[in-house]
Amino acid sequence: MSAFTSKFADELIANAAYIGTPGKGILAADESTGTIGKRLASINVENVETNRRNLRELLFTAPGALPCLSGVILFEETLYQKSSDGKLFVDILKEGGVLPGIKVDKGTVELAGTNGETTTQGLDGLGDRCKKYYEAGARFAKWRAVLKIGENEPSEHSIHENAYGLARYAVICQENGLVPIVEPEILVDGSHDIHKCAAVTERVLAACYKALSDHHVLLEGTLLKPNMVTPGSDSPKVTPEVIAEHTVRALQRTVPAAVPAIVFLSGGQSEEEATRNLNAMNQLKTKKPWSLSFSFGRALQQSTLKTWAGKEENVKAAQEALYVRCKANSEATLGTYKGDAKLGDGAAESLHVKDYKY
Amino acid sequence: MSCFKSKFADELIANAAYIGTAGKGILAADESTGTIGKRFASINVENVESNRRALRELLFTTPGALQYISGIILFEETLYQKTASGKPFVDVMKEANVLPGIKVDKGTVELAGTNGETTTIGLDGLGERCKKYYEAGARFAKWRAVLKIGNNEPSELAIHENAYGLARYAVICQENGLVPIVEPEILVDGSHDIEKCAYVTERVLAACYKALSDHHVILEGTLLKPNMVTPGSDCSSKAKPQVIAEHTVRALQRTVPAAVPAVVFLSGGQSEEQATVNLNAINQLKGKKPWSLTFSYGRALQQSTLKAWGGKEENVDKAQKAFLARAKANSEATTGDYKGDAQLGEGASESLHVKDYKY
């Protein structure tokens, strides 16, 4: 076959399929030290290691949350951290039936000669890092490529660079036992309509799958983390049903059936919007040969963060808020969300930050 | 969306979906004058217009056969021919709910600097020709790209040229109301194993769908006509239908978007019975198959029929029965219900492989 023969093939295929288990999805808790600093600042919490550890412990030990999750993406620091009673986070996750994942990219840099377009770095020594992460218990990885919509964007150059960077990252992961999440995020920033977003998404995804084929990636052992197809942030909103239709159609036109699961990014949508949109997709009657689930960061943690505010006495309530969102999204993967999640403080708040950088 | 806006979009989508109707498939009867001449020579029939007309009438008027056929690919001459009683063939088809299709490529030419690799020609004035064919009743088209497996083949150049030629042809068809069948045939010639064929097929199909995306083709209004994934014709180990089915479906799962409504396999030299049995195994396979899997057979539907006919009027009845048997068998294969009991006509198990096949 066109895929290379990895000694990890069976494991990669099994883990990728597991992540797409109906009723489950991914918690993206891989905010870099800088990014988590911004979140902590918004709730007046100091950006020190203990606070970062406390937040993640709050998330991973929230009663009822782990059964709704198949994976959690971690930042490197967190992969080696422990709970307050000395248990490694990766062990807590594993015992809860959740696969630990690891962010492996090193952020974006600008592409010379473009209008602020970027490529993602992190390929140097990636194989060795993946080996190390696998030994520490990681079983999947994530790499975020970023594209934007503008008059002349995304350019063919930027699509090609980002697609081929993703493909190279993906095969290196597979050589080292990690299921690669392929994330080509097209930012929601802009005043374009949903049709423009659909056209760009289809073009970008087609380029990604050509690149993955060229790099001999085993598709059955990968996941896709795309944006949903929506109007730009400065454009009038549309209903979840319209978002669902355009999103699923774009995927039908580009994502091979061999890919076991698609785990959407939330990209600035509010917690409630993200859940409703995912729910609408799973209710749509049409060809969907992959699971459709979530890989949400902000859209799973917003109310939790606000409720916690860094205070020990708020932990229980904060964990309850996380459980509410986890359960809602779990139902959304089955198309059974009734919109009745107890809305936490901020659940309906847009989480859009212009030109978002982790 | 990434595809262009065609005034024919709804019609293209409906026609492409219709061709993939369960229980139906395509009869490829588009042999060029030269190629049909070779067939006729093998049964001692003169290659004149009336004989070509008589053969196609025999096929299209076989009692009970057209219910198993959703489309028939024609050569240009046939599009304008009539039955002996004066009824245009396209009307015979339409009345039986069969879509007429038309071969629009003009054959292959060699790519300079390669080891006998080719590209397909026919783009010049294609839009005008498609318009004309649409007016004559055609609703789908076919263009055959050819690749081969060798030590250094298919080359990146051959893959790129053939994929982009197919994509350009496809969008021109859609601009003019014809559903394009995208046919990137990888010849079975060679001593390679099934794994090699799978590898090449996946690479070629990935290139095709990238090219179709670049050319803004509406995938919902296209069909794919690929080779099945098999060992080469000279490979020492043969593969069971189940193994062919597994490798074929996996290759498609890895490359063909779900938006494509149907995959219509070419028979490429397989005997009538092999082609049916393999298609049957493909449809019995449990796994993700978000497209219909059916047939677009030429030789594998007509071989016994031709032999039974021998060009003689008194054999028409016998020949039509042979055709009906194959059409019904393949119809059953599209639902995985073929029991292997088609009355084997003379030659049904005969390999139809011709080295380096050119239509």
Side-chain angles (χ1 to χ4, degrees):
Chain A
M1 33 232 91
S2 187
F4 81 103
T5 327
S6 164
K7 63 177 187 176
F8 292 101
D10 291 343
E11 191 181 328
L12 292 168
I13 293 171
N15 286 341
Y18 176 71
I19 286 176
T21 303
K24 295 185 189 283
I26 294 174
L27 163 62
D30 60 318
E31 301 86 355
S32 62
T33 308
T35 300
I36 202 67
K38 292 184 218 163
R39 301 282 162 75
L40 295 175
S42 77
I43 52 169
N44 290 313
V45 173
E46 201 189 352
N47 188 11
V48 289
E49 206 244 340
T50 41
N51 285 339
R52 296 194 291 272
R53 200 205 58 74
N54 286 341
L55 169 62
R56 272 62 180 265
E57 178 165 351
L58 183 162
L59 297 172
F60 306 160
T61 61
L66 294 194
C68 300
L69 302 175
S70 45
V72 173
I73 320 178
L74 306 169
F75 181 62
E76 188 178 309
E77 176 187 75
T78 322
L79 190 61
Y80 299 99
Q81 285 181 325
K82 302 175 173 149
S83 64
S84 45
D85 49 11
K87 189 167 200 170
L88 281 168
F89 283 153
V90 294
D91 290 339
I92 292 176
L93 293 174
K94 279 186 178 164
E95 281 165 29
V98 178
L99 292 173
I102 178 72
K103 185 226 297 285
V104 301
D105 72 76
K106 297 188 174 191
T108 58
V109 289
E110 281 200 17
L111 284 167
T114 67
N115 179 22
E117 293 183 288
T118 64
T119 187
T120 298
Q121 39 179 30
L123 290 177
D124 299 350
L126 179 59
D128 291 334
R129 295 171 55 225
C130 285
K131 258 193 202 59
K132 224 184 48 149
Y133 296 144
Y134 183 93
E135 278 156 29
R139 288 295 176 269
F140 70 96
K142 164 272 186 83
W143 169 291
R144 179 174 177 257
V146 185
L147 296 125
K148 67 172 183 176
I149 295 178
E151 288 292 321
N152 304 303
E153 290 84 17
S155 62
E156 184 52 39
H157 176 50
S158 135
I159 293 175
H160 185 98
E161 279 307 299
N162 281 286
Y164 280 81
L166 275 165
R168 184 72 189 116
Y169 136 82
V171 78
I172 291 172
C173 284
Q174 293 193 331
E175 286 180 294
N176 294 286
L178 302 181
V179 171
I181 294 183
V182 173
E183 180 179 358
E185 173 169 7
I186 299 159
L187 296 175
V188 69
D189 303 48
S191 52
H192 54 274
D193 63 15
I194 195 169
H195 301 292
K196 175 80 188 210
C197 179
V200 171
T201 301
E202 289 169 21
R203 197 170 149 220
V204 167
L205 291 179
C208 287
Y209 284 98
K210 178 60 163 71
L212 291 169
S213 170
D214 287 353
H215 277 271
H216 312 295
V217 176
L218 180 66
L219 292 186
E220 294 87 342
T222 65
L223 298 162
L224 178 69
K225 180 167 171 167
N227 49 281
M228 296 184 193
V229 176
T230 70
S233 50
D234 299 330
S235 262
K237 296 228 174 270
V238 298
T239 64
E241 287 69 32
V242 172
I243 287 173
E245 212 183 280
H246 283 76
T247 303
V248 175
R249 185 163 53 219
L251 302 171
Q252 286 171 335
R253 288 172 169 178
T254 54
V255 185
V259 175
I262 296 176
V263 295
F264 294 98
L265 59 91
S266 45
Q269 294 179 30
S270 71
E271 290 176 325
E272 188 63 9
E273 267 178 324
T275 303
R276 283 179 188 269
N277 290 336
L278 179 63
N279 192 54
M281 282 182 223
N282 280 295
Q283 290 188 330
L284 207 58
K285 299 212 179 316
T286 186
K287 292 193 279 190
K288 295 180 289 180
W290 353 254
S291 302
L292 296 169
S293 183
F294 57 93
S295 176
F296 294 166
R298 289 169 279 171
L300 268 172
Q301 299 180 58
Q302 176 75 353
S303 333
T304 305
L305 263 167
K306 283 197 152 184
T307 307
W308 178 48
K311 302 189 165 81
E312 181 65 36
E313 61 266 32
N314 293 341
V315 165
K316 192 160 176 300
Q319 290 185 320
E320 175 68 24
L322 178 69
Y323 169 67
V324 165
R325 291 327 307 175
C326 283
K327 181 112 196 344
N329 285 304
S330 165
E331 288 169 0
T333 69
L334 304 169
T336 58
Y337 179 57
K338 305 262 181 293
D340 55 359
K342 229 175 22 159
L343 288 190
D345 184 27
E349 211 178 282
S350 164
L351 299 165
H352 179 234
V353 172
K354 230 175 163 59
D355 200 24
Y356 188 66
K357 291 169 177 40
Y358 275 72
Chain B
M1 31 233 92
S2 189
C3 51
F4 81 106
K5 293 203 193 326
S6 167
K7 65 178 187 177
F8 291 102
D10 291 343
E11 191 179 330
L12 292 168
I13 293 170
N15 286 341
Y18 176 69
I19 286 174
T21 303
K24 295 183 191 281
I26 294 174
L27 163 64
D30 60 319
E31 300 86 355
S32 62
T33 308
T35 300
I36 202 68
K38 289 184 219 165
R39 302 283 162 74
F40 281 176
S42 76
I43 53 168
N44 290 314
V45 171
E46 201 190 351
N47 188 12
V48 291
E49 206 244 341
S50 52
N51 283 340
R52 295 193 293 271
R53 201 205 58 73
L55 169 62
R56 275 61 182 265
E57 176 164 353
L58 184 163
L59 294 169
F60 306 163
T61 61
T62 296
L66 293 194
Q67 64 181 301
Y68 303 123
I69 307 289
S70 47
I72 300 179
I73 320 179
L74 307 169
F75 181 61
E76 187 178 310
E77 177 188 73
T78 322
L79 189 60
Y80 298 100
Q81 284 180 325
K82 302 174 174 151
T83 64
S85 52
K87 186 171 204 165
F89 282 153
V90 294
D91 291 344
V92 171
M93 287 178 216
K94 283 193 176 155
E95 280 166 27
N97 292 316
V98 177
L99 291 174
I102 177 75
K103 184 226 297 289
V104 302
D105 72 77
K106 296 187 174 190
T108 58
V109 291
E110 282 199 17
L111 284 167
T114 68
N115 180 19
E117 293 183 288
T118 64
T119 186
T120 298
I121 57 176
L123 291 177
D124 297 349
L126 179 59
E128 290 306 311
R129 295 171 57 225
C130 286
K131 261 193 198 59
K132 223 184 49 150
Y133 295 143
Y134 184 92
E135 278 157 27
R139 289 296 177 268
F140 70 97
K142 164 271 187 85
W143 170 290
R144 177 174 178 255
V146 185
L147 296 129
K148 65 172 181 175
I149 295 178
N151 283 326
N152 304 301
E153 292 83 19
S155 63
E156 184 54 37
L157 172 67
I159 293 175
H160 184 97
E161 279 305 299
N162 281 285
Y164 280 82
L166 275 166
R168 184 74 190 115
Y169 136 82
V171 78
I172 291 171
C173 283
Q174 293 192 330
E175 287 179 294
N176 294 286
L178 302 182
V179 170
I181 294 183
V182 173
E183 178 177 359
E185 172 168 8
I186 298 158
L187 296 175
V188 68
D189 304 48
S191 52
H192 54 273
D193 61 14
I194 194 170
E195 302 295 336
K196 175 77 191 223
C197 179
Y199 169 76
V200 172
T201 301
E202 289 168 22
R203 199 170 146 221
V204 168
L205 291 179
C208 287
Y209 283 98
K210 178 58 164 69
L212 290 169
S213 169
D214 287 353
H215 277 271
H216 312 295
V217 176
I218 306 170
L219 292 187
E220 294 88 343
T222 63
L223 298 163
L224 178 70
K225 179 165 170 169
N227 49 284
M228 293 183 191
V229 175
T230 69
S233 49
D234 299 330
C235 184
S236 49
S237 55
K238 299 286 163 212
K240 292 193 164 65
Q242 169 76 357
V243 173
I244 287 174
E246 255 168 44
H247 283 75
T248 302
V249 173
R250 185 164 53 218
L252 301 174
Q253 286 171 338
R254 289 172 169 179
T255 54
V256 184
V260 175
V263 174
V264 299
F265 293 99
L266 59 92
S267 44
Q270 295 179 36
S271 71
E272 289 177 327
E273 188 63 7
Q274 272 176 333
T276 302
V277 166
N278 288 335
L279 179 63
N280 192 54
I282 285 170
N283 279 293
Q284 289 188 332
L285 200 68
K286 301 216 179 309
K288 293 194 277 190
K289 296 180 287 181
W291 350 254
S292 303
L293 295 162
T294 185
F295 55 92
S296 176
Y297 292 167
R299 289 168 281 170
L301 267 171
Q302 299 180 60
Q303 176 76 353
S304 342
T305 306
L306 263 167
K307 285 198 155 185
W309 179 50
K312 301 189 168 78
E313 181 67 34
E314 60 267 30
N315 291 339
V316 166
D317 202 56
K318 191 169 67 137
Q320 288 187 321
K321 283 193 168 63
F323 178 59
L324 176 64
R326 292 325 308 174
K328 182 161 192 297
N330 285 304
S331 165
E332 289 167 357
T334 70
T335 52
D337 292 316
Y338 179 57
K339 307 266 182 289
D341 56 356
Q343 234 188 2
L344 287 191
E346 189 193 320
S349 303
E350 213 177 279
S351 164
L352 299 164
H353 178 232
V354 170
K355 228 171 164 61
D356 199 23
Y357 189 66
K358 291 171 176 37
Y359 275 73

